[in-house]
Amino acid sequence: MKVRVKFTKSGPVKFIGHLDVMRYFQKANRRAQIPVKYSEGFNPHQIMSFAAPLGLGDTSECEYMDMEVLSSGSSKEMIDRMNAVMVEGIRVISWKELPDKSQNAMAAMAAADYVLSFREGYAPEPWDAFVSGMQAFLSQPEIRIVKKSKKSEKEVDIRPLLYSWSFSDGQFFCQVAAGSLANLKPELLIEAYCQEKGLELSPFAVQVHRKELYADEGTDGVRKLVPLENVGKDIL
Amino acid sequence: MRKLALSDEILLSVEKPARYIGGEVNSVVKDIEKDHIDIRFAMCFPDVYEIGMSHLGIQILYDMFNRMEGVWCERVYSPWPDLDKIMREKHIPLFGLESQEPVKDLDFLGITLQYEMCYTNVLQVLDLSGIPLLSKDRTWDDPIVLGGGPCTYNPEPLAPFFDIFYMGEGETRYEELIKLYREARKNGLSRLEFLRKAALIPGLYVPSLYDVTYNEDGTFQEMIPLYPEAPKTVVKEVVMDLDHVPYPDKPVVPFIQVTQDRVTLEIMRGCIRGCRFCQAGMIYRPVRERSLEFLKEKATAMLRSTGHEEITLSSLSSSDYTHLGELVNFLIDEFKSQGVNISLPSLRIDAFSLDVMSKVQDIRKSSVTFAPEAGTQRMRNVINKGLTTEDILNGSREAFSGGWNKVKLYFMLGLPTETEEDMVGIAELANEVAAVYYDTVPKEQRQGRCQITASSSFFIPKPFTGLQWARMYPKEEYARRAHIVKDAMNAQLNHKSLHYQYHETDVSVLEGVFARGDRRIADVILAAYRRGSLFDAWSEFYDDEKWQQSFKECGLDPDFYTMRERPIEEAFPWDFIDTGVTKAFLIREWQRAHEPVITPNCRQKCQGCGARRFGGGVCFEGQS
């Protein structure tokens, strides 16, 4: 049986890297005595995969992990069992059974919601100025940035990867493309804006918070975004 | 949510920020008000988090302290050089991982001393905490700085930096010490008054209560108690019933991968073998075992509470544990099917251990390990290593028949009376093991060559061993000896199957100075720290030049401590410590080493080492 587990990551544990979060859940599953299916071979490992690595220092309320389990209690029971062995800052918030032939979270992911804010004392300009400047900047038909790789530099337009945005109380919300086909790191938007406006931005200025990850169930090029957890069903 | 001591910017600028955030599974956070906490204890391993978190002793004491009413114990490790630099620049005080509050504000700072090369890190921890480096400069604004662990069996090189050393096993006297501390603070005693009273607690050594004198030739003369409370001898503390002392059910589980990322089950303390170079084998006498029932219960509880995928047995010589077979079978039956790996270090290679290993390891990937320690039988008799060439070859033969093709061999160079024959013997023994492979395994069954890896370290005489009088050699001489082995390896018939590696030479000599140094060495450690020496146990940071300059600056000659064979009559700075094993016994061992004859182990025939007076353990086995 395949299940999709959604969890949050906030507070001090934002400094735990992606690989260590995977190790954390391998041990947590054993503490909670979750009957995870193991791979074959001399060194069997738990069959699990994660939707998308979260950057070190970023927080999230929508981390997704897919697992194969031999059996499962009700979603509520499993959530309680997991939360009984979690650390501060990591909470399991949903446990859904996936249809047999569903794609894994990583492959299914198409878009993401983020909330960005400036760490205290790191804002490059007063909030109102930022909102109006950013509003104008993002409303352009094209936002070209220089992408550097090891070998070359090339200019790309990131505007098509930005689906929507808004501002409120010191927070910049954006919905962007995410996944293997197209992916936008949301902090690039602020970096590009500051660069164009000649504002100095510390590499530690932006606190990234991930709010939701989506699959795209649309057809004929029309997006229909569905939160990754909605692909599965609660176990009653 | 807990507030962290370091800003996001700092944590995002350093390597592995998870070293500094605490909050791990099973870490203990108490509420000062609700839990009525009046004693705050910082338990420090003065090396990087991944090393410190792998240490069993700290987990035991952390658990023990946190079971005590009104006590909150937290952990402290050495900040890595990247963070060390930032903390100095920004004047950020060192903090406990659990509370994220400054160490300086706590009541006790306990530092475990597991190896000599961590001594400059001890100063780093004090310095970053804002605690005066010297005990004499401290006031009640500072925690009581305590030292424990194997290096305290010669505490003198660190004497000025510590308020108290705890000699021996930590489970016995802390309740008393904390009670005394509470009363002292309540009654407004001075720090000195408190320390004088602490000296009355068995096992505690307060170095500031003694003066040390030296002979004209520079050798140690005597230690003179300055106060009536300071005992002439300090007897080590030892737990006689290991089933009735605290042992964690819930060890802390690190977020990041550490050196020992597994459940550790301590099956016994001490070792019956009596190898003459081995300090642990003497200072932890007598051998005491934990019961099978206790271990089964703890293994189950710890695997459940941590979620670790691996469990390892810990002891100096697991094969000597009486119920090893039953314990291992229990672990395999109970946990193997749950995907738990079982690792079995320090096993003697024989039919039993190979059978067990084949059940728990991937034979193709694993290797079997022997520690002959020396290349010839004569040399092994000198060090009382009761492993014969025949044992090694038979064990290898069985391993090769069982499918293994990798063998590791551990040796020491620079042992007393070592000759070129003994050095070449290392290569010859490795060659013989390889020859056994080609004799045992038919050509069509071989998967390439066998791999015989021989490693050598340099012998460092340690206090309270039968070889504590021995001399060391200059680093050039160590290098010469290692090259003799290397050349001999290349000259062997099976040289293509042999690999040889040896330990660094200059660190070994310095370790030798610390191991048998006196109080004057403290000045050198301080001088080297001031010059920037830190993380000396890490070869990428070790800077021999800084140490040589520091010795010069302090007017001390490192050779005085290492390059002389010490006469039997010479008094040692550590003679005031009573480990149970008598000096008369050690002298006898030193003499027997020169004959050279083997001394039977504790189970074969009691040699009257002195440890029997603790009233238990192997000394009373089979008696009621």
Side-chain angles (χ1 to χ4, degrees):
Chain A
M1 179 199 286
K2 280 205 274 186
V3 293
R4 178 159 296 164
V5 181
K6 184 180 187 182
F7 62 94
T8 66
K9 188 183 177 202
S10 62
V13 293
K14 70 183 181 184
F15 295 107
I16 314 286
H18 178 63
L19 288 176
D20 291 323
V21 170
M22 289 171 62
R23 281 173 9 94
Y24 168 83
F25 271 100
Q26 283 160 9
K27 292 185 201 283
N29 283 335
R30 307 176 70 93
R31 290 195 297 275
Q33 301 195 302
I34 306 294
V36 189
K37 200 172 162 193
Y38 278 77
S39 66
E40 306 287 323
F42 206 92
N43 289 307
H45 57 269
Q46 298 180 8
I47 300 178
M48 56 157 63
S49 64
F50 285 72
L54 190 67
L56 199 70
D58 299 352
T59 58
S60 170
E61 57 196 89
C62 62
E63 293 305 286
Y64 285 101
M65 165 177 78
D66 291 351
M67 300 197 291
E68 274 196 53
V69 294
L70 299 170
S71 64
S72 169
S74 71
S75 293
K76 184 183 175 314
E77 184 197 330
M78 300 313 274
I79 291 169
D80 289 347
R81 256 163 78 178
M82 293 293 281
N83 282 334
V85 301
M86 291 293 118
V87 292
E88 181 187 37
I90 302 182
R91 300 306 292 168
V92 171
I93 50 177
S94 84
W95 176 287
K96 309 262 185 176
E97 181 176 357
L98 289 175
D100 280 343
K101 286 186 179 156
S102 59
Q103 278 183 306
N104 69 34
M106 191 189 291
M109 181 178 66
D113 288 348
Y114 288 98
V115 175
L116 275 54
S117 55
F118 294 109
R119 289 191 167 90
E120 217 184 307
Y122 287 88
E125 62 181 336
W127 181 249
D128 290 346
F130 174 75
V131 172
S132 54
M134 191 74 172
Q135 188 68 38
F137 179 73
L138 297 179
S139 303
Q140 302 174 93
E142 273 195 347
I143 301 174
R144 304 196 77 86
I145 63 159
V146 177
K147 254 196 169 168
K148 282 178 195 161
S149 73
K150 275 178 201 156
K151 284 180 192 156
S152 63
E153 287 186 7
K154 63 174 178 181
E155 228 185 38
V156 287
D157 178 15
I158 56 172
R159 181 61 188 80
L161 306 180
L162 173 64
Y163 298 158
S164 67
W165 72 90
S166 64
F167 302 89
S168 74
D169 293 342
Q171 295 187 326
F172 164 56
F173 168 89
C174 60
Q175 188 169 73
V176 296
S180 49
L181 292 176
N183 192 69
L184 177 62
K185 283 169 73 181
E187 56 271 41
L188 277 181
L189 295 168
I190 295 183
E191 282 168 30
Y193 163 69
C194 289
Q195 200 180 1
E196 183 177 280
K197 233 185 143 184
L199 294 169
E200 204 169 313
L201 184 73
S202 150
F204 309 104
V206 180
Q207 173 69 60
V208 176
H209 177 75
R210 189 143 76 189
K211 241 180 134 49
E212 191 52 274
L213 294 177
Y214 298 94
D216 185 358
E217 293 187 348
T219 46
D220 306 328
V222 183
R223 268 199 308 275
K224 185 188 165 209
L225 297 182
V226 178
L228 281 179
E229 64 179 323
N230 293 6
V231 175
K233 282 198 182 70
D234 274 324
I235 306 170
L236 299 170
Chain B
M1 295 260 179
R2 290 172 322 122
K3 198 174 163 348
L4 298 178
L6 302 171
S7 69
D8 281 17
E9 171 163 350
I10 292 175
L11 286 164
L12 290 171
S13 315
V14 299
E15 226 180 279
K16 301 192 188 172
R19 287 167 173 164
Y20 311 109
I21 62 173
E24 304 95 326
V25 170
N26 297 335
S27 61
V28 178
V29 175
K30 294 193 178 181
D31 185 313
I32 305 283
E33 302 280 313
K34 275 192 224 142
D35 297 319
H36 306 291
I37 301 301
D38 64 341
I39 300 291
R40 302 276 304 271
F41 201 109
M43 182 58 77
C44 170
F45 192 110
D47 205 323
V48 74
Y49 178 89
E50 294 92 309
I51 303 288
M53 275 299 286
S54 304
H55 182 242
L56 174 66
I58 290 227
Q59 295 264 15
I60 293 177
L61 294 178
Y62 179 80
D63 173 75
M64 176 190 80
F65 281 118
N66 281 322
R67 284 173 200 243
M68 292 180 190
E69 286 288 317
V71 179
W72 182 15
C73 177
E74 42 193 314
R75 295 158 298 141
V76 176
Y77 302 101
S78 284
W80 193 243
D82 56 355
L83 179 61
D84 175 281
K85 187 164 170 277
I86 293 172
M87 290 175 82
R88 285 172 204 269
E89 278 166 12
K90 298 187 186 280
H91 304 288
I92 299 168
L94 186 61
F95 51 90
L97 289 185
E98 279 73 2
S99 69
Q100 299 278 311
E101 290 167 0
V103 171
K104 188 180 163 70
D105 298 343
L106 309 189
D107 299 286
F108 290 94
L109 168 60
I111 304 177
T112 184
L113 304 165
Q114 295 293 319
Y115 33 84
E116 290 82 359
M117 301 316 291
C118 76
Y119 287 177
T120 50
N121 282 54
V122 170
L123 298 185
Q124 175 212 28
V125 165
L126 293 171
D127 206 5
L128 290 179
S129 298
I131 299 169
L133 300 184
L134 299 175
S135 168
K136 68 177 172 62
D137 299 331
R138 291 178 201 141
T139 69
W140 275 135
D141 288 340
D142 304 298
I144 295 291
V145 180
L146 274 159
C151 292
T152 56
Y153 285 92
N154 178 19
E156 289 305 278
L158 293 174
F161 311 127
F162 281 86
D163 300 320
I164 303 175
F165 288 103
Y166 184 120
M167 311 302 314
E169 295 169 6
E171 289 103 332
T172 56
R173 296 291 175 183
Y174 277 115
E175 293 259 16
E176 266 170 87
L177 180 64
I178 285 171
K179 186 162 168 272
L180 179 71
Y181 178 85
R182 279 193 175 111
E183 282 166 10
R185 299 311 304 268
K186 201 175 85 189
N187 299 329
L189 260 56
S190 72
R191 205 168 160 105
L192 176 62
E193 284 167 323
F194 165 73
L195 290 174
R196 286 173 62 173
K197 282 179 188 281
L200 291 169
I201 298 178
L204 299 195
Y205 163 53
V206 180
S208 58
L209 305 185
Y210 300 82
D211 206 5
V212 179
T213 58
Y214 300 91
N215 298 309
E216 264 177 35
D217 62 2
T219 54
F220 172 87
Q221 188 174 44
E222 68 172 327
M223 231 163 74
I224 303 162
L226 301 173
Y227 298 89
E229 293 91 343
K232 270 292 223 194
T233 350
V234 180
V235 185
K236 78 162 185 201
E237 280 299 300
V238 54
V239 171
M240 290 322 296
D241 181 357
L242 284 175
D243 281 355
H244 293 93
V245 283
Y247 194 86
D249 290 318
K250 296 179 170 182
V252 180
V253 185
F255 287 120
I256 54 174
Q257 190 137 29
V258 300
T259 314
Q260 300 276 339
D261 192 21
R262 49 186 78 95
V263 164
T264 305
L265 196 59
E266 187 196 35
I267 59 177
M268 61 177 176
R269 288 193 189 157
C271 179
I272 58 169
R273 303 268 148 191
C275 298
R276 294 190 179 114
F277 56 86
C278 179
Q279 188 187 42
M282 290 296 132
I283 60 178
Y284 298 129
R285 285 190 170 203
V287 169
R288 291 142 293 147
E289 299 191 341
R290 292 189 198 268
S291 73
L292 190 57
E293 280 320 301
F294 179 93
L295 294 174
K296 285 180 178 177
E297 218 173 89
K298 288 293 174 184
T300 309
M302 288 193 293
L303 284 167
R304 180 72 204 270
S305 72
T306 59
H308 278 311
E309 314 54 17
E310 185 167 338
I311 183 166
T312 185
L313 305 184
S314 160
S315 79
L316 293 168
S317 168
S318 298
S319 294
D320 294 326
Y321 177 63
T322 314
H323 313 289
L324 183 70
E326 277 165 281
L327 178 63
V328 169
N329 285 327
F330 167 81
L331 295 176
I332 292 174
D333 294 347
E334 205 73 8
F335 303 115
K336 189 81 179 71
S337 63
Q338 300 173 28
V340 174
N341 295 323
I342 297 153
S343 82
L344 303 162
S346 69
L347 273 194
R348 199 165 48 243
I349 300 304
D350 55 21
F352 167 76
S353 58
L354 290 170
D355 178 49
V356 168
M357 283 160 65
S358 68
K359 287 180 193 160
V360 300
Q361 298 175 346
D362 187 346
I363 292 175
R364 289 164 305 161
K365 288 181 190 156
S366 64
S367 57
V368 295
T369 303
F370 296 93
E373 308 292 357
T376 60
Q377 195 58 48
R378 186 201 68 83
M379 194 77 256
R380 285 194 291 274
N381 289 351
V382 168
I383 59 177
N384 203 40
K385 185 84 197 183
L387 189 69
T388 63
T389 304
E390 215 185 336
D391 293 335
I392 296 162
L393 298 182
N394 285 341
S396 302
R397 187 172 299 114
E398 290 199 46
F400 294 142
S401 316
W404 278 272
N405 66 358
K406 297 189 191 79
V407 172
K408 285 187 196 158
L409 301 167
Y410 290 115
F411 296 98
M412 277 187 290
L413 282 174
L415 287 161
T417 76
E418 184 178 62
T419 64
E420 199 159 322
E421 194 186 330
D422 301 309
M423 302 168 210
V424 173
I426 292 175
E428 288 171 350
L429 182 58
N431 183 61
E432 277 185 83
V433 172
V436 167
Y437 177 79
Y438 297 108
D439 287 347
T440 311
V441 184
K443 219 171 195 164
E444 58 278 10
Q445 285 173 32
R446 288 180 208 156
Q447 302 203 332
R449 292 194 186 105
C450 62
Q451 293 175 35
I452 315 300
T453 307
S455 316
S456 71
S457 59
F458 298 106
F459 164 65
I460 300 167
K462 296 279 164 107
F464 296 106
T465 64
L467 303 183
Q468 63 176 344
W469 294 270
R471 63 160 297 179
M472 293 182 68
Y473 298 93
K475 57 185 180 188
E476 298 76 20
E477 173 62 15
Y478 285 133
R480 188 185 75 87
R481 294 188 185 203
H483 280 110
I484 290 175
V485 180
K486 201 171 174 12
D487 291 344
M489 286 279 176
N490 291 333
Q492 299 300 314
L493 184 63
N494 296 304
H495 65 272
K496 285 187 176 160
S497 305
L498 311 181
H499 306 270
Y500 174 62
Q501 53 207 23
Y502 61 93
H503 204 255
E504 275 152 77
T505 54
D506 40 15
V507 188
S508 302
V509 176
L510 185 64
E511 189 182 326
V513 175
F514 292 163
R516 294 185 299 162
D518 53 38
R519 238 177 229 211
R520 294 171 297 188
I521 292 297
D523 293 340
V524 182
I525 297 171
L526 188 56
Y529 174 71
R530 296 276 186 230
R531 282 199 156 77
S533 284
L534 200 59
F535 283 99
D536 293 303
W538 297 73
S539 52
E540 67 261 48
F541 295 118
Y542 181 75
D543 183 349
D544 200 53
E545 191 51 38
K546 286 197 177 84
W547 284 100
Q548 297 313 326
Q549 287 166 359
S550 303
F551 275 106
K552 264 198 207 99
E553 180 190 319
C554 300
L556 287 169
D557 177 10
D559 292 357
F560 170 78
Y561 295 95
T562 50
M563 299 304 161
R564 323 177 273 125
E565 179 172 315
R566 303 195 186 188
I568 292 291
E569 315 77 63
E570 184 173 327
F572 292 145
W574 55 90
D575 281 345
F576 75 100
I577 299 165
D578 183 350
T579 67
V581 175
T582 60
K583 194 164 185 184
F585 170 77
L586 296 176
I587 291 172
R588 206 155 73 225
E589 285 297 284
W590 175 236
Q591 287 157 349
R592 288 169 75 91
H594 286 84
E595 290 179 28
V597 283
I598 286 281
T599 297
N601 73 45
C602 296
R603 287 211 172 102
Q604 289 168 330
K605 187 169 184 290
C606 174
Q607 298 298 304
C609 74
R612 193 172 198 274
R613 78 175 147 99
F614 292 116
V618 70
C619 314
F620 293 84
E621 234 167 50
Q623 303 171 20
S624 50

